[in-house]
Amino acid sequence: MSEAFKSGPEQQRLLRKLESIAIITDDERQAVLDLPLTIRTYAPDQDIVRDGDRPSECCLVLDGFTFRYKLLTDGRRQILAFHTPGDIPDLQSLHLEVMDHSVAALVLTRVAFISHIDMNALCRRYSGLTAALWRDSLIDAAMFREWMVGLGRRSAHERIAHLLCEMTLRLAAVGLSDGRSSNLPITQVELGDALGLTAVHVNRVLQDLRRDGLITLSSSRLTVLDWKSLRRVGDFDPAYLHQNRPAEAL
Amino acid sequence: MSEAFKSGPEQQRLLRKLESIAIITDDERQAVLDLPLTIRTYAPDQDIVRDGDRPSECCLVLDGFTFRYKLLTDGRRQILAFHTPGDIPDLQSLHLEVMDHSVAALVLTRVAFISHIDMNALCRRYSGLTAALWRDSLIDAAMFREWMVGLGRRSAHERIAHLLCEMTLRLAAVGLSDGRSSNLPITQVELGDALGLTAVHVNRVLQDLRRDGLITLSSSRLTVLDWKSLRRVGDFDPAYLHQNRPAEAL
DNA sequence: CGCAATATTGACCATCATCAATTGGCGTGG
DNA sequence: CCACGCCAATTGATGATGGTCAATATTGCG
């Protein structure tokens, strides 16, 4: 269930991510490729890191999906983010000792762990990598801000349309969508917990979106039939994703 | 309206903030004290940085309050955060070229600007300062996460009680509250925009909290009469603030 | 003293929650 | 191969939280 690698294809995943958010020099590239990783696999709904933990390593998503969430004392759950391959969902643990939320696998997911010690050594030697990782954590925060707008001020229809736009774009950015159809293994309960809605209401809104010919969504397959309308309904502007290359194809 | 300083009491404000979140060496301390600042003053509701801007400097709150917000196309507003003296509300602009939200003064506010060039030079030379600032931006994100939980999953009463707890604690941390009574110049409209509620509903909930003897709030003065109950109503756990010294006095 | 911003009140209503039951898809074991 | 079981999706009925609209009171302040 757990294996250590030296310079396999897993490091490449991290490298591609970093190169997508900053310019990486040859030295830095090599240092990333030399990073020791520990690979582990998680079942759906299994926790990877828990609220209150004091992690000594960060996790990098390799295959599958993860999500971050917080639980209220009475069991209500708020999902804070969904993560795709290349993401480091608990990067913040590098500088915040104790976790203020949990990270779990959404589906069967392969994860690579990088020790904080190695990560810090890397950052101390290469200020370019520090900047890249810092920037990554800032984009993370930018996505929280946009979700706050949805939770606070958007209607259920707007929120759902917005999320579908965001996920399609993000999956396309890592080659997991052609911008039209994607594998999106998120249940309606999870959508509700992410968007501050009940699963029942999510269901009804999805039916509206289907009826209006905007999307198709069944057995984990999302297809955007009418990108323009979906984008309009969700009032979606991808600026907050801070992707350098504009998604002109969409 | 704008003045340049060398090593005045304004740098002290920044230093105290950094020392509250990380250990700072003597060299680093001196470097912060030598930081060139530009001081400006803003009227209530005046924008300091705007959504879409490409700032070349960061702003440090000296006196007063600021808030960050996003506007929807139809005018709805979501307030993302309130900031007190010592905070750097747009620190993320150091690594994200274009602003994805705006920063404005809540009341008459004095702000110090630090150029990105100076900031980056400082970070390149002192990795401890980089870590401190990075950590600060991660605490910022942690607060967004907690607010997301409120917006998505808490009732109006819970949200308001939670915010009042948070503000009291944060103001106490910078010496602007004794933990009981504080100057909190936030209108009910602004509270609503921060909490995803209407001003009318905020008004009604505040009346409940007053009637139940939890707080007193009028003419910008908040007094917590029953901290324990307020904390219980808001389901408030300050862990997400990542303050090192626990607020045992409360 | 008199505006202008903020707070407050009342009546009415919409969105979304709650509760409960049913359906459908799919993997598994007999 | 099919029945069972489980999980996710769907449907219906009902209701509460919080929104909307509009008027009035209060407060701060020049």
Side-chain angles (χ1 to χ4, degrees), chain B residues 186-189 200 203-204 207 210:
Chain B
I186 307 179
T187 67
Q188 296 180 0
V189 171
V200 171
N203 183 285
R204 289 175 170 140
Q207 287 180 52
R210 280 190 279 246

Side-chain angles (χ1 to χ4, degrees), chain A:
Chain A
M1 195 64 160
S2 169
E3 239 182 302
F5 279 81
K6 261 276 184 189
S7 207
E10 286 75 15
Q11 283 83 352
Q12 294 280 355
R13 177 72 79 180
L14 176 56
L15 190 56
R16 270 201 302 279
K17 167 64 172 251
L18 294 175
E19 288 184 320
S20 81
I21 58 181
I23 309 281
I24 306 296
T25 68
D26 287 346
D27 282 359
E28 290 167 348
R29 191 187 326 276
Q30 194 52 54
V32 170
L33 290 175
D34 288 344
L35 211 47
L37 301 182
T38 305
I39 317 289
R40 279 196 277 271
T41 302
Y42 291 86
D45 247 325
Q46 194 181 350
D47 280 336
I48 300 171
V49 198
R50 277 210 187 82
D51 200 343
D53 283 358
R54 298 169 162 274
S56 61
E57 48 193 9
C58 289
C59 69
L60 165 71
V61 182
L62 295 174
D63 303 293
F65 288 86
T66 66
F67 65 100
R68 301 203 257 169
Y69 66 96
K70 289 185 100 150
L71 252 25
L72 295 191
T73 46
D74 68 356
R76 281 173 289 177
R77 178 175 72 164
Q78 176 65 44
I79 290 181
L80 306 164
F82 293 113
H83 289 283
T84 60
D87 287 350
I88 305 178
D90 64 346
L91 180 55
Q92 94 281 336
S93 69
L94 195 59
H95 290 293
L96 297 181
E97 298 73 36
V98 15
M99 289 293 294
D100 54 48
H101 64 281
S102 302
V103 182
L106 194 58
V107 291
L108 186 69
T109 300
R110 219 159 53 91
V111 171
F113 287 90
I114 311 168
S115 84
H116 285 175
I117 293 173
D118 291 338
M119 202 84 141
N120 276 319
L122 210 62
C123 286
R124 221 169 302 110
R125 189 177 328 266
Y126 301 102
S127 70
L129 290 179
T130 303
L133 289 167
W134 190 352
R135 180 174 154 94
D136 187 49
S137 71
L138 292 171
I139 293 175
D140 200 53
M143 294 177 47
F144 292 146
R145 286 193 290 271
E146 185 66 30
W147 281 39
M148 284 177 69
V149 176
L151 291 167
R153 286 299 181 216
R154 283 197 246 260
S155 72
H157 283 76
E158 292 170 321
R159 285 181 226 184
I160 292 183
H162 194 278
L163 182 67
L164 298 180
C165 287
E166 175 185 313
M167 290 312 295
T168 299
L169 223 58
R170 287 175 55 200
L171 289 170
V174 292
L176 290 174
S177 167
D178 57 8
R180 190 158 183 288
S181 188
S182 349
N183 183 253
L184 195 73
I186 307 179
T187 67
Q188 295 180 2
V189 171
E190 288 153 355
L191 279 177
D193 282 348
L195 298 173
L197 302 168
T198 59
V200 172
H201 202 64
V202 168
N203 183 284
R204 288 175 170 139
V205 172
L206 285 176
Q207 288 179 51
D208 289 346
L209 296 179
R210 280 190 279 246
R211 176 176 39 70
D212 297 344
L214 302 194
I215 62 160
T216 258
L217 176 56
S218 91
S219 42
S220 298
R221 181 114 226 125
L222 166 70
T223 303
V224 179
L225 300 175
D226 183 347
W227 177 264
K228 207 163 167 197
S229 298
L230 189 64
R231 188 178 164 149
R232 186 173 35 68
V233 170
D235 191 36
F236 181 75
D237 173 353
Y240 71 96
L241 293 172
H242 296 271
Q243 293 175 172
N244 288 328
R245 24 6 216 341
E248 67 282 348
L250 309 173

